[in-house]
Each structure stands twice: as C-alpha cells, then as structure tokens.
Amino acid sequence: MKSPFHVMIIPTLGCPSKCHYCWSSDESSPKMSIETVREIAAWLKDYRSDQVTITFHGGEPLLAGADFYREALPILSEELAHLEPTFALQSNLWLLTPELAKILAEYRIPIGSSIDGPEEITDMQRGTGYFAKTMRGYGIARENGLDVRFICTFTNQSVRRKEEIVDFFLTSGFPLKLHPALPSLRSDDPKEWALEPEEYGELLVYLLDTYLENLGKIEIMNINDLCKGVFVRHGTVCTFVDCMGSTLAFGPDGSIYPCYRFVGMPEYAMGNVYDRPAEEDLAQSDAWRLMHAFKDYVDGACKECSHTRYCRGGCPYNAIAPTAGEIQGVDPHCVAYKRILDEITERLNDEMFGSGDDEMGGFGSPFGRRAKPGIMAVLQTMAMK
C-alpha cells in the first residue's frame, strides 16, 4: 500500500512558548522567505505526481506572519495545482489574529494545536499562561470557521492524572490525540519529563477502555489509528509506516529533511531546494541511506513479530536521533506499541471468532450481540464519518 504524500514546511524553529519538555524550538532560527517558498513549489512540481498534503509546522509557524501566508498559499496552490494540494497547520495559536484566521479560512486549513488537559496541568508542563493564550486563539479560530484539534502530551508526571485529563477532553467535547513526551536531546536531564514506554503502553490500554466506555461521546484519535492498522494490516499514520520518500520537510533555508523532527539538525539534511536535487541525489545523502538502513534493520529485527506489517518498528527519529545516528534498535516505544497492539488483536479476535458471551462475543459471532462496545464498534464509528 502506497503511503500518502506529505510535505512539512517549517517557516521557523522559533517559538514564543517555553514548554518544559520541548525538543525542537530554537530562538536563533531564521524565518523562511517567500523566495524559498517559490523554490519549494518549483522543486515539488516534478517530485511526485500524486496528491499532496502540506503542513506548516515549527517551532511556531505563525511567527512567519500574515503577509507570509497571504503570499505563500497562492504560490503553493497555483504552482502545485496538478497535485491538488491540501493544507494543514500546527500552532499553539498564541499569535492567531482575525486577519490571519481569515487567510487560513480561505484555504480551509485545519489546525492542530496543543493543550495537555486542564489549565493547571497544561501550565505546569508548558509554562504559566499557556492555556489561556491558546484558548484565546482557539476562540478566534472558531469565530472564523476554522477546525481545531488538540494534541495532548503525556509526561511522566501528567500520566498520574490521566483521569482528570481525559475527563477534561470529554467534558470539553474536544477530540483527543496524545503524544508521549520524548527524552530531550537538548537537556542535561533528557528523561526529566519523558514518558517511559511501559507507562505509555498502560496509558494506551486505559485509553482504549475509556474510549469504549464513552463511544460516541469522545474521539481518541490514536485508538482509531491503532485499531484500523490492526484491522487493515497496514499502518495508517506516519509512526507506523515506511515513511522515507513519502514524507519530506523543508527547513527555513530550503534544506530538505526526511521529516520535520530532523529540521535544524544539519547532519540529516539531504539537500536544498535551491540546488534542485533529483531524487537520485537525495538518495546519495547520509540521511536517506540511514532511513533505508533503519527499514532494513526492522525487516530483520522484527520479522518474528506479528505486528510488523502495521508497526514497522515505530518512528525512525525516536530510534536513531538519541543514538547520534547509529541504529541500535527500533523505536524505544516498541514496548508500548506491542502492549496495545496485542490488546487490540486479542479483543478483535475474540469479537470475530469468540464464543459470543456478554463480555467478549459479538460482531463475528452467531450467538448474540455484545453487551459492551468493542473494537469493531470503533471501526464502525470511523466508517460512518
């Protein structure tokens, strides 16, 4: 199955917030010029012929300002019209103004933002005042018809309050997408906030149970993706696919990277759009070779794992960035992925081939209906959207 073509444009790595566990912001980062946007569009024209999604990411992409988007969006839309581009943006929303919101709304750009639960928990992890500033921007976005969804980062501290966090998303009516806090490559204490894989796995199982208990009242996007991956036998988000070549990121100076997570790390740059490299040129870069070497490593190291087809060893960045580019293992969150994928597989098999009792029988059974929603109910809910 061919992975969707996804491009990330990083106008700057600068960010006005100072989240305690951040691993990607850089106050000294330059801002992308419109000329670089033109070069990106010109280079992308012939890279692939299938439909492309372009996400503006950072840092904080709104630091680029209203004039940047007023010029950049028409350039990308018109120059790449044959690729039918759609757009998205990831922002903390602090800098969203009515003017900017109107520009984004013209192109129907959905926004991903970040809150970590109730105000007290969010501000504890992301800095005093973060929650209020983000919710102020959220109000402007909604007033202008923009769709906003939130990512919630779970740390080794906030995971102890998972019930409060989920209740916040449930009562607020917000879909929940979670990220585990990663060890910071820029900290003297990399694991100060990092969520350990074992805790992450148990959190995912808790969220699965909570989702099933509240089906129709909340959407937990990670659970959707994991259930679908098990069912269709192929990963449906970038963490669980061979992303090399189907995902690209452009830094502020036009450098080309395998993914936005590597932007700002020169050793992972594969080329620069100003040089108009061919795909064959990118393939000669150390970063390209490393990403493919990771794929080959997964093929060998994970060949006995029943989840290999729809896990693919997890995220290459998680696996190779902390080890200075040496492939010493798969994504350290493998423990968590295996925990939740085992759980989903076992439940799905019970539903489809089990005895049909009140707890575990159901959709695949001739003996009766489930008393409680199960994995098939999640898949049916997704199919109706």
Side-chain angles (χ1 to χ4, degrees):
M1 185 182 296
K2 191 176 183 181
S3 297
F5 186 23
H6 186 199
V7 164
M8 287 167 274
I9 294 178
I10 316 301
T12 180
L13 285 171
C15 183
S17 62
K18 299 291 184 289
C19 300
H20 297 308
Y21 48 74
C22 182
W23 48 267
S24 63
S25 65
D26 181 359
E27 293 181 1
S28 64
S29 173
K31 294 180 184 177
M32 183 177 286
S33 68
I34 287 298
E35 181 57 34
T36 298
V37 175
R38 291 194 180 94
E39 292 294 326
I40 290 172
W43 185 81
L44 279 174
K45 269 187 175 181
D46 301 316
Y47 184 76
R48 276 177 61 159
S49 60
D50 44 338
Q51 192 274 328
V52 62
T53 296
I54 299 174
T55 299
F56 295 95
H57 214 295
E60 174 46 63
L62 293 187
L63 278 170
D67 288 343
F68 174 85
Y69 290 97
R70 189 178 287 112
E71 294 185 66
L73 288 167
I75 290 170
L76 294 165
S77 295
E78 293 165 14
E79 293 299 313
L80 302 177
H82 62 297
L83 302 182
E84 301 177 352
T86 58
F87 299 98
L89 184 139
Q90 182 68 33
S91 168
N92 63 23
L93 299 176
W94 290 15
L95 302 177
L96 187 66
T97 63
E99 177 188 16
L100 253 172
K102 287 179 172 60
I103 295 170
L104 301 179
E106 183 179 347
Y107 289 84
R108 298 178 183 152
I109 297 180
I111 298 176
S113 192
S114 298
I115 48 174
D116 293 348
E119 185 168 8
E120 187 249 318
I121 295 176
T122 296
D123 286 5
M124 174 190 72
Q125 299 193 154
R126 291 182 172 267
T128 302
Y130 182 102
F131 183 93
K133 292 176 184 177
T134 294
M135 295 312 294
R136 189 181 308 123
Y138 174 76
I140 293 172
R142 298 300 297 148
E143 288 167 6
N144 287 275
L146 291 169
D147 179 41
V148 180
R149 293 192 166 204
F150 291 106
I151 293 171
C152 174
T153 298
F154 279 86
T155 67
N156 55 27
Q157 297 186 38
S158 67
V159 73
R160 304 169 197 161
R161 302 171 66 179
K162 58 183 179 293
E163 294 86 359
E164 290 178 65
I165 294 171
V166 173
D167 185 65
F168 168 81
F169 279 88
L170 181 61
T171 56
S172 300
F174 296 149
L176 170 60
K177 181 176 182 180
L178 72 105
H179 277 180
L182 300 170
S184 174
L185 302 183
R186 303 185 181 188
S187 172
D188 295 332
D189 185 6
K191 291 193 173 184
E192 180 182 4
W193 294 89
L195 186 64
E196 290 296 326
E198 292 81 7
E199 286 189 301
Y200 183 26
E202 293 308 313
L203 172 63
L204 288 169
V205 174
Y206 166 78
L207 291 173
L208 173 61
D209 288 333
T210 303
Y211 193 15
L212 295 178
E213 291 168 6
N214 294 279
L215 205 59
K217 300 177 185 176
I218 189 173
E219 179 182 9
I220 302 180
M221 297 165 68
N222 307 68
I223 301 302
N224 283 348
D225 295 329
L226 290 162
C227 289
K228 185 176 179 182
V230 171
F231 189 73
V232 303
R233 317 300 287 174
H234 186 275
T236 60
V237 291
C238 66
T239 302
F240 303 121
V241 296
D242 294 320
C243 55
M244 190 62 218
S246 294
T247 299
L248 293 173
F250 299 96
D253 66 348
S255 293
I256 307 167
Y257 296 85
C259 170
Y260 84 97
R261 288 185 165 186
F262 294 103
V263 174
M265 303 170 73
E267 63 270 31
Y268 292 102
M270 302 184 295
N272 192 292
V273 291
Y274 282 92
D275 299 325
R276 301 293 174 87
E279 184 172 355
E280 294 75 17
D281 299 319
L282 299 185
Q284 297 303 310
S285 67
D286 290 341
W288 182 288
R289 289 172 175 169
L290 185 60
M291 296 289 282
H292 279 279
F294 178 76
K295 175 181 178 295
D296 293 339
Y297 178 86
V298 169
D299 287 339
C302 302
K303 63 182 179 182
E304 301 299 327
C305 178
S306 61
H307 306 302
T308 300
R309 289 180 59 185
Y310 46 87
C311 174
R312 299 303 303 145
C315 176
Y317 173 89
N318 291 352
I320 64 182
T323 57
E326 292 187 16
I327 301 174
Q328 300 177 1
V330 297
D331 184 338
H333 288 136
C334 171
V335 173
Y337 304 148
K338 190 173 190 310
R339 175 74 177 92
I340 186 62
L341 293 171
D342 281 348
E343 190 76 23
I344 291 170
T345 300
E346 181 179 344
R347 295 190 192 194
L348 184 59
N349 285 339
D350 279 337
E351 289 173 37
M352 297 183 70
F353 310 113
S355 64
D357 59 53
D358 284 345
E359 290 300 316
M360 298 305 295
F363 288 94
S365 165
F367 300 104
R369 298 183 178 182
R370 289 178 56 86
K372 298 178 181 179
I375 305 304
M376 289 301 296
V378 173
L379 296 169
Q380 289 178 334
T381 299
M382 294 171 63
M384 291 188 291
K385 292 184 177 180

